[in-house]
Amino acid sequence: MNTCKTALRIIWAHKFYLLLYLVGMSLIMIVIGSTNVQAAVRANASSSIGRFEPARAKVVVINRDSGNQAGCELGQGLKKYLGKSAQLVTVEDKPQALQDANVSGKSDLTVIIPKGYGQRFLETLEDTAAQARSGGKTTAFPKVETAASYNSSRGGLAQLQVDSYFDALRTAWLTDLGQNGSTDLHSPAAVKDAAAYAVAHYAGNQPHVGIHASPKTDGHGALSKGFATTVGLAAFPLMTALTVCVATLFGAFSSPDRHRRLLASPMRSTSLNGQELTAALIVAGVSWAYYVALVAFSMAASGVSLVSLGWERVLLSFFVMLIFAVSAASFGFMLSQFNPSSSLINSVGVTFGLVVMFTSGSSSGGPLPPVMQTIGKLTPGWWYNTAVQSIMDLSTTGLASWGLPLTVVALFALAYACVGLMVSRLTRTRATLVAPVSSDPSMIG
């Protein structure tokens, strides 16, 4: 295990790559993914269907006829009637205060019952009843003063409620509805009974509006898509970080001097290669575990429980990410067998990571152009994102929808490893165990 520990120390010596490519880039990808998840959370909350609550208008009722018993009963009945559908607001009965309330939006409608209104209302009722018996023309009922605010349409709707109250009041008085033993229908007691009847039958005086609730949008589908996007964005940091780190690790062991010393050691080459591979897999596993924890934290911070998305789908998505991490490590191993310089390793790792991210479809909001899809299918990123999207797609349940892309990702890992082993085999068969012999200056002459 000395070789494995040495390999891990080499990775730790180059921890800047992990901090830059894995930690730094992953935080950026998580922020992008969490934006989609939070948008889905907000859409899910706004699309939930609950109890329908219409907007309540703010109404000011000023009763200047409260000194008259009939006017007092009319005003109290109006407040009770409007209180069922509107919010009553108290404003001082002064012109300046009423105007300020109307203009500032403190009230949507101002209703003023003028002085003597109750008496005129009773007289009009008596005249209407007399004309109805004789078949004559009835006189118009007196109107209360109203002023609707121009800031919203709720004042106009509340004004309709005021009209419906007086219509119900007249109907109840003229037809003797709700009269609790009142012998004198022209008395304030009769007005009180008619107002109580109008308030009690408020619902019957309103227009019947049917509310048809549309089916709730599939909020879990949007959340699953947001989770799949967050997981799919792991392609860039994992591919870049593991390519650079694993290539650096194997490159440290494949330099000519170290390679000759390793071949001259009594340890079998299979054991050396196995320990190097173990170190690479440890780096891939740690990177995968870090990103899984980061995704889980991001979803929890967005208020989304992984349990609500389905444990089977979530665990399968994380498993696909693990296979992709192994594929990225295999690409780094293949790259290291060509003995590139550290600058070339970083350039290839970043460039290939960007190609994988932009052709995988995880960073785009819609379908990719055909050319980019063709390029993407030549990399494991496109198949990785397809597998994750298929797993989190609630409309698909078949194994073939995500099993085939997952198999292709695993085949990419195998292909990279085979190419790396082939190049390693070709370079090692041409290597020599004997270093060039330098001439001794003392032997000259």
PDB file of all heavy atoms in Angstrom, residues 149-169:
ATOM      1  N   SER A 149     -62.687  54.683  -5.752  1.00  0.00           N
ATOM      2  CA  SER A 149     -61.297  55.050  -6.023  1.00  0.00           C
ATOM      3  C   SER A 149     -60.919  54.634  -7.437  1.00  0.00           C
ATOM      4  O   SER A 149     -61.384  53.608  -7.951  1.00  0.00           O
ATOM      5  CB  SER A 149     -60.369  54.365  -5.018  1.00  0.00           C
ATOM      6  OG  SER A 149     -59.009  54.602  -5.349  1.00  0.00           O
ATOM      7  N   TYR A 150     -60.092  55.449  -8.072  1.00  0.00           N
ATOM      8  CA  TYR A 150     -59.635  55.138  -9.429  1.00  0.00           C
ATOM      9  C   TYR A 150     -58.414  54.215  -9.427  1.00  0.00           C
ATOM     10  O   TYR A 150     -57.917  53.827 -10.491  1.00  0.00           O
ATOM     11  CB  TYR A 150     -59.294  56.435 -10.178  1.00  0.00           C
ATOM     12  CG  TYR A 150     -58.223  57.266  -9.525  1.00  0.00           C
ATOM     13  CD1 TYR A 150     -56.873  57.014  -9.756  1.00  0.00           C
ATOM     14  CD2 TYR A 150     -58.558  58.309  -8.663  1.00  0.00           C
ATOM     15  CE1 TYR A 150     -55.892  57.781  -9.157  1.00  0.00           C
ATOM     16  CE2 TYR A 150     -57.588  59.076  -8.064  1.00  0.00           C
ATOM     17  CZ  TYR A 150     -56.257  58.815  -8.305  1.00  0.00           C
ATOM     18  OH  TYR A 150     -55.292  59.576  -7.701  1.00  0.00           O
ATOM     19  N   ASN A 151     -57.922  53.869  -8.243  1.00  0.00           N
ATOM     20  CA  ASN A 151     -56.720  53.032  -8.173  1.00  0.00           C
ATOM     21  C   ASN A 151     -57.007  51.571  -8.476  1.00  0.00           C
ATOM     22  O   ASN A 151     -56.107  50.825  -8.857  1.00  0.00           O
ATOM     23  CB  ASN A 151     -56.079  53.145  -6.787  1.00  0.00           C
ATOM     24  CG  ASN A 151     -55.491  54.526  -6.551  1.00  0.00           C
ATOM     25  OD1 ASN A 151     -54.975  55.145  -7.477  1.00  0.00           O
ATOM     26  ND2 ASN A 151     -55.580  55.025  -5.319  1.00  0.00           N
ATOM     27  N   SER A 152     -58.234  51.106  -8.267  1.00  0.00           N
ATOM     28  CA  SER A 152     -58.552  49.703  -8.499  1.00  0.00           C
ATOM     29  C   SER A 152     -60.016  49.586  -8.878  1.00  0.00           C
ATOM     30  O   SER A 152     -60.813  50.523  -8.699  1.00  0.00           O
ATOM     31  CB  SER A 152     -58.262  48.859  -7.260  1.00  0.00           C
ATOM     32  OG  SER A 152     -59.170  49.163  -6.214  1.00  0.00           O
ATOM     33  N   SER A 153     -60.373  48.420  -9.402  1.00  0.00           N
ATOM     34  CA  SER A 153     -61.758  48.157  -9.793  1.00  0.00           C
ATOM     35  C   SER A 153     -62.573  47.580  -8.653  1.00  0.00           C
ATOM     36  O   SER A 153     -63.781  47.347  -8.825  1.00  0.00           O
ATOM     37  CB  SER A 153     -61.776  47.183 -10.976  1.00  0.00           C
ATOM     38  OG  SER A 153     -61.162  45.947 -10.611  1.00  0.00           O
ATOM     39  N   ARG A 154     -61.953  47.343  -7.511  1.00  0.00           N
ATOM     40  CA  ARG A 154     -62.699  46.747  -6.393  1.00  0.00           C
ATOM     41  C   ARG A 154     -63.770  47.713  -5.872  1.00  0.00           C
ATOM     42  O   ARG A 154     -64.795  47.277  -5.357  1.00  0.00           O
ATOM     43  CB  ARG A 154     -61.736  46.363  -5.270  1.00  0.00           C
ATOM     44  CG  ARG A 154     -60.839  45.195  -5.607  1.00  0.00           C
ATOM     45  CD  ARG A 154     -60.134  44.680  -4.368  1.00  0.00           C
ATOM     46  NE  ARG A 154     -59.164  45.638  -3.872  1.00  0.00           N
ATOM     47  CZ  ARG A 154     -57.881  45.656  -4.196  1.00  0.00           C
ATOM     48  NH1 ARG A 154     -57.413  44.745  -5.052  1.00  0.00           N
ATOM     49  NH2 ARG A 154     -57.051  46.553  -3.700  1.00  0.00           N
ATOM     50  N   GLY A 155     -63.527  49.029  -6.008  1.00  0.00           N
ATOM     51  CA  GLY A 155     -64.524  49.984  -5.554  1.00  0.00           C
ATOM     52  C   GLY A 155     -65.807  49.891  -6.357  1.00  0.00           C
ATOM     53  O   GLY A 155     -66.922  49.970  -5.807  1.00  0.00           O
ATOM     54  N   GLY A 156     -65.679  49.708  -7.681  1.00  0.00           N
ATOM     55  CA  GLY A 156     -66.866  49.558  -8.507  1.00  0.00           C
ATOM     56  C   GLY A 156     -67.651  48.305  -8.165  1.00  0.00           C
ATOM     57  O   GLY A 156     -68.889  48.303  -8.168  1.00  0.00           O
ATOM     58  N   LEU A 157     -66.943  47.211  -7.871  1.00  0.00           N
ATOM     59  CA  LEU A 157     -67.625  45.981  -7.474  1.00  0.00           C
ATOM     60  C   LEU A 157     -68.324  46.147  -6.130  1.00  0.00           C
ATOM     61  O   LEU A 157     -69.431  45.636  -5.917  1.00  0.00           O
ATOM     62  CB  LEU A 157     -66.615  44.830  -7.416  1.00  0.00           C
ATOM     63  CG  LEU A 157     -65.938  44.456  -8.746  1.00  0.00           C
ATOM     64  CD1 LEU A 157     -64.896  43.366  -8.530  1.00  0.00           C
ATOM     65  CD2 LEU A 157     -66.984  44.005  -9.761  1.00  0.00           C
ATOM     66  N   ALA A 158     -67.672  46.880  -5.215  1.00  0.00           N
ATOM     67  CA  ALA A 158     -68.309  47.112  -3.919  1.00  0.00           C
ATOM     68  C   ALA A 158     -69.546  47.997  -4.060  1.00  0.00           C
ATOM     69  O   ALA A 158     -70.515  47.850  -3.297  1.00  0.00           O
ATOM     70  CB  ALA A 158     -67.305  47.757  -2.963  1.00  0.00           C
ATOM     71  N   GLN A 159     -69.535  48.879  -5.033  1.00  0.00           N
ATOM     72  CA  GLN A 159     -70.705  49.726  -5.252  1.00  0.00           C
ATOM     73  C   GLN A 159     -71.901  48.891  -5.699  1.00  0.00           C
ATOM     74  O   GLN A 159     -73.055  49.195  -5.359  1.00  0.00           O
ATOM     75  CB  GLN A 159     -70.387  50.795  -6.297  1.00  0.00           C
ATOM     76  CG  GLN A 159     -71.465  51.861  -6.428  1.00  0.00           C
ATOM     77  CD  GLN A 159     -70.982  53.056  -7.231  1.00  0.00           C
ATOM     78  OE1 GLN A 159     -69.831  53.093  -7.674  1.00  0.00           O
ATOM     79  NE2 GLN A 159     -71.852  54.039  -7.415  1.00  0.00           N
ATOM     80  N   LEU A 160     -71.639  47.838  -6.452  1.00  0.00           N
ATOM     81  CA  LEU A 160     -72.722  46.923  -6.816  1.00  0.00           C
ATOM     82  C   LEU A 160     -73.299  46.243  -5.582  1.00  0.00           C
ATOM     83  O   LEU A 160     -74.510  45.963  -5.520  1.00  0.00           O
ATOM     84  CB  LEU A 160     -72.204  45.879  -7.807  1.00  0.00           C
ATOM     85  CG  LEU A 160     -71.727  46.401  -9.170  1.00  0.00           C
ATOM     86  CD1 LEU A 160     -71.187  45.253 -10.018  1.00  0.00           C
ATOM     87  CD2 LEU A 160     -72.855  47.123  -9.891  1.00  0.00           C
ATOM     88  N   GLN A 161     -72.449  45.962  -4.585  1.00  0.00           N
ATOM     89  CA  GLN A 161     -72.932  45.368  -3.341  1.00  0.00           C
ATOM     90  C   GLN A 161     -73.848  46.340  -2.598  1.00  0.00           C
ATOM     91  O   GLN A 161     -74.849  45.931  -1.999  1.00  0.00           O
ATOM     92  CB  GLN A 161     -71.735  44.985  -2.457  1.00  0.00           C
ATOM     93  CG  GLN A 161     -70.784  43.972  -3.077  1.00  0.00           C
ATOM     94  CD  GLN A 161     -71.426  42.613  -3.220  1.00  0.00           C
ATOM     95  OE1 GLN A 161     -72.283  42.240  -2.431  1.00  0.00           O
ATOM     96  NE2 GLN A 161     -71.009  41.890  -4.242  1.00  0.00           N
ATOM     97  N   VAL A 162     -73.505  47.615  -2.644  1.00  0.00           N
ATOM     98  CA  VAL A 162     -74.357  48.626  -1.994  1.00  0.00           C
ATOM     99  C   VAL A 162     -75.732  48.657  -2.661  1.00  0.00           C
ATOM    100  O   VAL A 162     -76.786  48.686  -1.983  1.00  0.00           O
ATOM    101  CB  VAL A 162     -73.679  50.011  -2.057  1.00  0.00           C
ATOM    102  CG1 VAL A 162     -74.620  51.083  -1.498  1.00  0.00           C
ATOM    103  CG2 VAL A 162     -72.375  49.995  -1.282  1.00  0.00           C
ATOM    104  N   ASP A 163     -75.746  48.629  -3.987  1.00  0.00           N
ATOM    105  CA  ASP A 163     -77.024  48.646  -4.700  1.00  0.00           C
ATOM    106  C   ASP A 163     -77.845  47.393  -4.411  1.00  0.00           C
ATOM    107  O   ASP A 163     -79.077  47.469  -4.260  1.00  0.00           O
ATOM    108  CB  ASP A 163     -76.770  48.772  -6.203  1.00  0.00           C
ATOM    109  CG  ASP A 163     -76.123  50.096  -6.583  1.00  0.00           C
ATOM    110  OD1 ASP A 163     -76.262  51.066  -5.797  1.00  0.00           O
ATOM    111  OD2 ASP A 163     -75.471  50.163  -7.640  1.00  0.00           O
ATOM    112  N   SER A 164     -77.152  46.248  -4.330  1.00  0.00           N
ATOM    113  CA  SER A 164     -77.887  45.013  -4.053  1.00  0.00           C
ATOM    114  C   SER A 164     -78.479  45.020  -2.645  1.00  0.00           C
ATOM    115  O   SER A 164     -79.544  44.433  -2.405  1.00  0.00           O
ATOM    116  CB  SER A 164     -76.963  43.802  -4.229  1.00  0.00           C
ATOM    117  OG  SER A 164     -75.944  43.790  -3.236  1.00  0.00           O
ATOM    118  N   TYR A 165     -77.811  45.701  -1.705  1.00  0.00           N
ATOM    119  CA  TYR A 165     -78.348  45.794  -0.338  1.00  0.00           C
ATOM    120  C   TYR A 165     -79.662  46.575  -0.328  1.00  0.00           C
ATOM    121  O   TYR A 165     -80.671  46.133   0.256  1.00  0.00           O
ATOM    122  CB  TYR A 165     -77.329  46.467   0.576  1.00  0.00           C
ATOM    123  CG  TYR A 165     -77.905  46.911   1.896  1.00  0.00           C
ATOM    124  CD1 TYR A 165     -78.241  46.010   2.898  1.00  0.00           C
ATOM    125  CD2 TYR A 165     -78.136  48.281   2.146  1.00  0.00           C
ATOM    126  CE1 TYR A 165     -78.781  46.428   4.114  1.00  0.00           C
ATOM    127  CE2 TYR A 165     -78.669  48.716   3.357  1.00  0.00           C
ATOM    128  CZ  TYR A 165     -78.981  47.775   4.331  1.00  0.00           C
ATOM    129  OH  TYR A 165     -79.526  48.193   5.534  1.00  0.00           O
ATOM    130  N   PHE A 166     -79.687  47.713  -0.966  1.00  0.00           N
ATOM    131  CA  PHE A 166     -80.913  48.521  -0.965  1.00  0.00           C
ATOM    132  C   PHE A 166     -82.019  47.852  -1.790  1.00  0.00           C
ATOM    133  O   PHE A 166     -83.205  47.976  -1.458  1.00  0.00           O
ATOM    134  CB  PHE A 166     -80.618  49.926  -1.478  1.00  0.00           C
ATOM    135  CG  PHE A 166     -79.889  50.776  -0.475  1.00  0.00           C
ATOM    136  CD1 PHE A 166     -78.531  51.024  -0.591  1.00  0.00           C
ATOM    137  CD2 PHE A 166     -80.573  51.328   0.602  1.00  0.00           C
ATOM    138  CE1 PHE A 166     -77.876  51.805   0.344  1.00  0.00           C
ATOM    139  CE2 PHE A 166     -79.920  52.113   1.539  1.00  0.00           C
ATOM    140  CZ  PHE A 166     -78.561  52.352   1.419  1.00  0.00           C
ATOM    141  N   ASP A 167     -81.647  47.126  -2.850  1.00  0.00           N
ATOM    142  CA  ASP A 167     -82.656  46.383  -3.599  1.00  0.00           C
ATOM    143  C   ASP A 167     -83.279  45.298  -2.726  1.00  0.00           C
ATOM    144  O   ASP A 167     -84.511  45.111  -2.725  1.00  0.00           O
ATOM    145  CB  ASP A 167     -82.027  45.749  -4.841  1.00  0.00           C
ATOM    146  CG  ASP A 167     -81.660  46.781  -5.894  1.00  0.00           C
ATOM    147  OD1 ASP A 167     -82.216  47.899  -5.837  1.00  0.00           O
ATOM    148  OD2 ASP A 167     -80.801  46.482  -6.752  1.00  0.00           O
ATOM    149  N   ALA A 168     -82.438  44.580  -1.976  1.00  0.00           N
ATOM    150  CA  ALA A 168     -82.952  43.536  -1.098  1.00  0.00           C
ATOM    151  C   ALA A 168     -83.787  44.141   0.029  1.00  0.00           C
ATOM    152  O   ALA A 168     -84.802  43.555   0.457  1.00  0.00           O
ATOM    153  CB  ALA A 168     -81.790  42.728  -0.519  1.00  0.00           C
ATOM    154  N   LEU A 169     -83.363  45.308   0.498  1.00  0.00           N
ATOM    155  CA  LEU A 169     -84.108  45.979   1.568  1.00  0.00           C
ATOM    156  C   LEU A 169     -85.503  46.380   1.092  1.00  0.00           C
ATOM    157  O   LEU A 169     -86.509  46.171   1.799  1.00  0.00           O
ATOM    158  CB  LEU A 169     -83.317  47.202   2.031  1.00  0.00           C
ATOM    159  CG  LEU A 169     -83.816  47.918   3.295  1.00  0.00           C
ATOM    160  CD1 LEU A 169     -83.646  47.017   4.507  1.00  0.00           C
ATOM    161  CD2 LEU A 169     -83.047  49.209   3.504  1.00  0.00           C
TER     162      LEU A 169
END
